[in-house]
Amino acid sequence: MTSIFSQIITVVMMNIRSLPRRFWMSLAATLAIAVVVAVLLSFLSMSNGFRKTLEGAGTEDTAIITRSGSKSELNSVLSNDVVNIITTAPGIAKDANDRPIYSAELYVVVDGIKRTTNTKVNIPMRGISQTGFDLRKNVKITEGRMFEPGKNEIIAGASIQREFSGFELGNRVKFGKTTWTVVGIFSTGGSAFESELWADARVLQSQFRRGNSFQTVRVLLSEPGNIDGLLKAVEDDPRLMLDIQTEADFFKEQGEALGGMVKLGWILSIVMSLGALAGALNTMYISVTEREQEIATLRAIGFSNISAFFGTLVESLVLSLLGGIIGTVAAYLFMDGLTTSTLGGNFTQVAFTFEMSSDLLMNGIILALIIGLVGGFFPAWRAARLPVVLAFRGGA
Amino acid sequence: MTGGKLYDLRGVSKSFTKGKEKITIFNDLNMSISEGDFLAIMGPSGSGKTTLLNLLGGVDKPTGGEIWFDDSRVDNLSESQLAKWRANNIGFIFQFYNLMPMLNAERNVELPLLLTKLSAKERKKNVAAAMELVGLSDRAKHMTSEMSGGQQQRVAIARAIVSDPKLILCDEPTGDLDRKTADEILSMLQLLNREFGKTIVMVTHDPSAANYAKRVLHLDKGEFVEKDLVA
Ligand SMILES: Nc1ncnc2c1ncn2[C@@H]1O[C@H](COP(=O)(O)OP(=O)(O)O)[C@@H](O)[C@H]1O
Ligand SMILES: [Mg+2]
């Protein structure tokens, strides 16, 4: 029936043209939907960016060894003996002198002054060696030079320098009683390591009174992703109470700490959606009441009730789509690329960037359309069932 | 000009229930309307004129009895069948014009044609002819909200006739107009009846309606009190 189609189009166009009569109310309903969508997208883009930052740090080429059950680098402790035993396990790549390639590292927390808020927050400081430096993906010194072993020198990650004051090249910074000189700035292509300070592991051991102990060991795998040899060694030796994961898996797990954030985002958005839905329902019921006589007149002329139904439903969908687009654009303009940092799980401050994607934006539009669909359905149903005799009721 | 039987109402009754109360408007109403008739239905307010017009127009259903139109029964049609039947056979004219304020005059007039198979070009032609007939060719693009009551009612008449229905049903078409304008509208209806053979049923308070109609029926307490033919 082409007639039904042209009827629907006519009624929709008439409803859209009558929107100025209900301008403020329709605008309010549209903006309520926009806010819901913007909130949802903020959460989603935040967790998306966080996940990407962490996943970007990890590689399948290395395995990370922590004390069993420690879950994070910060909570792990490994004695020198354990480090010596585990690094002889099979599956670790060897250098030209047939020595295993590994990096025993320390991981401590120091204070930094955040530029945006001027408050003290934790930043991670990593004790590392040249080998440890080389094990990182995409790592390079962008300014200055590498620290010299045995000296109180640090190199700062690019986002540390961006987000915290006092880490300019050549600056001296004080952590507790020790003073350090910033001799270099490094980048790792935007991954989580850029939110760290790096110094010589041996110097850190003495300055932070760690004796001979370390916290984690990273080993270069002879075959990427294959940690069987290491797992077998742990299984066979009761002295080794260790967790072994590829670095990629390790960071992925850390990234999931923000999975709760996504859930929270959805819950908050759905609760707010109920508010927006109430607004949409109210607006559309008023729209139907206002158009009662027009709807009945069209019905008297011979227009079908299907056209009254879809005319109203589409009006609602148009308003909600508009809200969805406004919310999406707002979220995109204000959130995408916004850099922030968060206390991620047991992690310390990790700088990351809100990252929108077309998938996320679709989520926002779909949520808006669902609100519009439900908010329009019941009023549309009423419109379809209006008695035609209303056309003859007086009162212009 | 009066031809065969167009309407036949057989034992029609209509009642409303308001809460527990049952209000009977008609009880066993019988009447017929011939093709080419111009019937004015008069009567005091609340006598059931609009209700009768609603029944004739198929926008409301009787509680009992049968309504026949062109030798087929229409009171038992479904909602969507009735909508199609109205589109094919009836043009409505309302007291308050019932134009769509967001559409200009010609778009309003075009509305019934959207239910037909006519092409946009044919629709345009028919709309122009209807606008010409009501003398509003020069106002085709005007918004109806900027028109006088008389002009709006003429747009409504154009809308009622544009799809060339047999029958025009009017509810107090001059109820909102001054005397002079009312007479213009009534003459126009008379012209439609005389020159174009439209059957017209008009519900009205207007005493001068009798000067234009072929037949006047007085409705009182749900019954017809037939009076003499005028003119
Ligand atoms: N939908 C309805 N429900 C209840 N009563 C109605 C309804 N429609 C009309 N009536 C009653 O029927 C009577 C006749 O109404 P109506 O046909 O509008 O009279 P008229 O057009 O002659 O003034 C009135 O008393 C009115 O209150
Ligand atoms: Mg009436």
Side-chain angles (χ1 to χ4, degrees):
Chain A
M1 265 286 284
T2 57
S3 161
I4 282 286
F5 201 65
S6 73
Q7 284 179 48
I8 291 172
I9 289 175
T10 307
V11 174
V12 167
M13 291 318 292
M14 280 173 48
N15 290 3
I16 304 291
R17 284 204 212 172
S18 73
L19 275 176
R21 297 199 304 228
R22 306 179 286 283
F23 181 78
W24 292 108
M25 197 178 56
S26 305
L27 183 70
T30 301
L31 290 183
I33 292 172
V35 168
V36 171
V37 167
V39 166
L40 176 71
L41 290 181
S42 308
F43 274 96
L44 293 184
S45 69
M46 185 156 76
S47 75
N48 192 33
F50 187 69
R51 202 167 32 75
K52 286 211 170 162
T53 300
L54 288 184
E55 279 174 6
T59 158
E60 287 283 325
D61 299 341
T62 36
I64 178 164
I65 298 159
T66 52
R67 190 185 61 185
S68 174
S70 56
K71 293 257 196 298
S72 77
E73 295 190 77
L74 204 55
N75 292 338
S76 176
V77 186
L78 302 176
S79 70
N80 201 31
D81 294 343
V82 168
V83 173
N84 288 336
I85 298 166
I86 191 65
T87 50
T88 59
I92 303 177
K94 304 274 169 52
D95 66 12
N97 300 320
D98 210 30
R99 282 186 308 232
I101 301 173
Y102 73 93
S103 164
E105 300 178 0
L106 281 168
Y107 190 79
V108 300
V109 163
V110 295
D111 286 335
I113 304 294
K114 202 164 177 155
R115 284 186 204 274
T116 47
T117 53
N118 220 17
T119 50
K120 252 192 206 174
V121 296
N122 290 342
I123 46 182
M125 182 165 174
R126 188 180 290 278
I128 204 173
S129 61
Q130 182 63 48
T131 312
F133 182 89
D134 294 337
L135 281 180
R136 263 69 187 187
K137 257 198 318 196
N138 303 325
V139 68
K140 61 171 186 279
I141 300 278
T142 54
E143 278 181 67
R145 57 171 174 81
M146 178 65 172
F147 59 76
E148 265 179 47
K151 289 194 172 169
N152 279 21
E153 292 180 345
I154 52 175
I155 56 176
S159 46
I160 289 282
Q161 198 201 17
R162 243 189 341 263
E163 300 244 318
F164 296 87
S165 48
F167 292 100
E168 281 74 28
L169 202 61
N171 267 21
R172 292 160 77 78
V173 288
K174 229 177 141 176
F175 302 132
K177 290 200 175 74
T178 62
T179 306
W180 305 75
T181 308
V182 182
V183 297
I185 307 295
F186 68 92
S187 111
T188 56
S191 80
F193 290 124
E194 283 185 12
S195 297
E196 296 180 350
L197 296 169
W198 287 354
D200 181 25
R202 293 289 169 194
V203 176
L204 221 63
Q205 272 180 336
S206 69
Q207 299 288 22
F208 285 79
R209 290 198 213 93
R210 296 298 175 101
N212 245 342
S213 76
F214 293 93
Q215 276 165 278
T216 57
V217 177
R218 277 175 167 75
V219 300
L220 183 65
L221 296 168
S222 43
E223 189 188 327
N226 186 352
I227 54 171
D228 293 348
L230 287 157
L231 289 174
K232 179 108 192 353
V234 170
E235 209 172 284
D236 293 346
D237 190 334
R239 290 169 299 172
L240 301 177
M241 308 283 281
L242 301 172
D243 285 337
I244 311 219
Q245 278 175 296
T246 66
E247 199 186 40
D249 285 348
F250 179 79
F251 277 118
K252 198 177 253 172
E253 217 164 80
Q254 302 279 325
E256 275 153 19
L258 240 63
M261 191 74 112
V262 178
K263 250 181 236 151
L264 180 70
W266 273 108
I267 290 170
L268 195 66
S269 308
I270 286 169
V271 169
M272 290 176 64
S273 296
L274 294 181
L277 177 62
L281 275 171
N282 185 48
T283 303
M284 293 315 298
Y285 272 127
I286 289 176
S287 162
V288 171
T289 305
E290 220 178 48
R291 293 182 292 112
E292 255 179 16
Q293 206 173 31
E294 286 159 26
I295 294 167
T297 302
L298 288 174
R299 299 272 285 114
I301 289 174
F303 278 64
S304 69
N305 49 11
I306 297 169
S307 67
F309 180 85
F310 280 104
T312 305
L313 190 66
V314 173
E315 177 185 336
S316 176
L317 287 174
V318 166
L319 289 181
S320 64
L321 182 65
L322 204 65
I325 291 171
I326 292 171
T328 303
V329 169
Y332 190 80
L333 289 183
F334 296 118
M335 298 295 175
D336 189 47
L338 183 73
T339 300
T340 188
S341 50
T342 185
L343 229 53
N346 288 318
F347 241 75
T348 47
Q349 285 279 325
V350 174
F352 66 93
T353 301
F354 282 66
E355 202 166 313
M356 289 292 176
S357 67
S358 52
D359 275 8
L360 293 195
L361 298 183
M362 271 325 285
N363 270 318
I365 298 288
I366 288 169
L367 178 67
L369 286 177
I370 290 174
I371 296 172
L373 194 69
V374 179
F377 182 86
F378 298 98
W381 189 255
R382 176 185 286 182
R385 317 238 352 170
L386 279 180
V388 189
V389 294
L390 283 182
F392 295 87
R393 294 264 162 87
Chain B
M1 280 211 71
T2 310
K5 216 184 250 182
L6 189 63
Y7 265 115
D8 201 12
L9 274 63
R10 303 175 187 168
V12 167
S13 62
K14 177 71 183 173
S15 53
F16 298 105
T17 39
K18 246 189 191 156
K20 279 182 184 158
E21 219 182 331
K22 190 174 161 200
I23 312 166
T24 300
I25 315 288
F26 303 116
N27 197 8
D28 193 27
L29 187 74
N30 295 285
M31 74 180 290
S32 55
I33 300 170
S34 308
E35 209 156 345
D37 203 356
F38 184 174
L39 172 65
I41 296 173
M42 305 187 75
S45 192
S47 58
K49 301 185 298 293
T50 298
T51 305
L52 176 61
L53 202 76
N54 288 340
L55 294 176
L56 293 174
V59 300
D60 202 359
K61 293 196 170 194
T63 348
E66 297 173 3
I67 297 176
W68 291 72
F69 180 89
D70 250 357
D71 295 324
S72 53
R73 197 172 158 184
V74 293
D75 63 273
N76 54 3
L77 296 180
S78 72
E79 276 275 321
S80 59
Q81 285 171 324
L82 276 174
K84 250 177 246 161
W85 173 74
R86 288 194 299 267
N88 290 335
N89 296 289
I90 302 176
F92 284 99
I93 296 171
F94 307 88
Q95 176 173 1
F96 299 105
Y97 330 125
N98 291 24
L99 299 171
M100 306 294 143
M102 63 300 252
L103 301 181
N104 68 20
E106 64 179 3
R107 289 282 176 201
N108 265 288
V109 173
E110 189 189 16
L111 286 171
L113 297 182
L114 297 174
L115 305 172
T116 65
K117 291 198 172 70
L118 296 183
S119 68
K121 207 173 146 194
E122 291 169 307
R123 291 202 300 266
K124 214 176 155 90
K125 206 181 95 208
N126 291 12
V127 168
M131 290 299 274
E132 169 96 58
L133 193 73
V134 298
L136 284 177
S137 295
D138 55 335
R139 303 284 158 92
K141 302 253 187 266
H142 285 222
M143 296 311 284
T144 56
S145 53
E146 289 154 12
M147 294 180 163
S148 70
Q151 287 173 331
Q152 290 191 53
Q153 195 61 301
R154 285 196 279 164
V155 174
I157 291 174
R159 180 180 68 185
I161 60 172
V162 74
S163 58
D164 199 25
K166 274 190 183 158
L167 176 70
I168 297 173
L169 296 180
C170 324
D171 192 11
E172 312 266 13
T174 59
D176 208 39
L177 300 174
D178 60 54
R179 183 69 265 145
K180 183 170 164 286
T181 315
D183 283 327
E184 281 169 24
I185 295 297
L186 289 169
S187 317
M188 196 168 282
L189 292 175
Q190 192 175 46
L191 177 88
L192 290 173
N193 174 252
R194 287 190 180 161
E195 305 297 323
F196 297 87
K198 301 288 174 207
T199 308
I200 299 180
V201 177
M202 171 174 73
V203 153
T204 184
H205 265 108
D206 191 342
S208 63
N211 302 331
Y212 298 88
K214 284 181 177 161
R215 190 159 69 110
V216 179
L217 287 176
H218 286 264
L219 197 58
D220 200 7
K221 299 193 183 82
E223 311 245 355
F224 283 122
V225 193
E226 194 139 1
K227 295 202 174 167
D228 295 336
L229 264 157
V230 189

